[in-house]
Amino acid sequence: MCPQGPVLVRGAQRVLDEDGVEHLVTRPVVAVCACDRSARKPWCDGTHKSVRSDRT
Ligand code: FES
């Protein structure tokens, strides 16, 4: 888990999103959004960086 960022998942073959939709994983490591602001959920798109800077 990255502080205020995504959860890095290694070795997964698929990820289920909050609606139960299955997303196939084709990379050895993927970043799953934990801030709920990504436009590409379940994947992190970097939006958490702007959210974090708004709070500091
Ligand atoms: S954790 Fe990166 S966009 Fe949500």
Side-chain angles (χ1 to χ4, degrees):
M1 184 126 191
C2 300
Q4 299 179 355
V7 175
L8 299 180
V9 179
R10 183 184 310 272
Q13 295 181 337
R14 58 187 176 260
V15 168
L16 293 179
D17 67 20
E18 61 192 17
D19 297 322
V21 177
E22 186 176 281
H23 300 266
L24 295 180
V25 173
T26 58
R27 297 178 178 184
V29 179
V30 290
V32 176
C33 178
C35 75
D36 203 33
R37 301 206 181 207
S38 173
R40 298 182 56 240
K41 285 191 274 184
W43 315 123
C44 170
D45 68 356
T47 302
H48 66 271
K49 295 175 188 171
S50 62
V51 172
R52 182 176 53 201
S53 65
D54 289 347
R55 292 182 180 169
T56 56

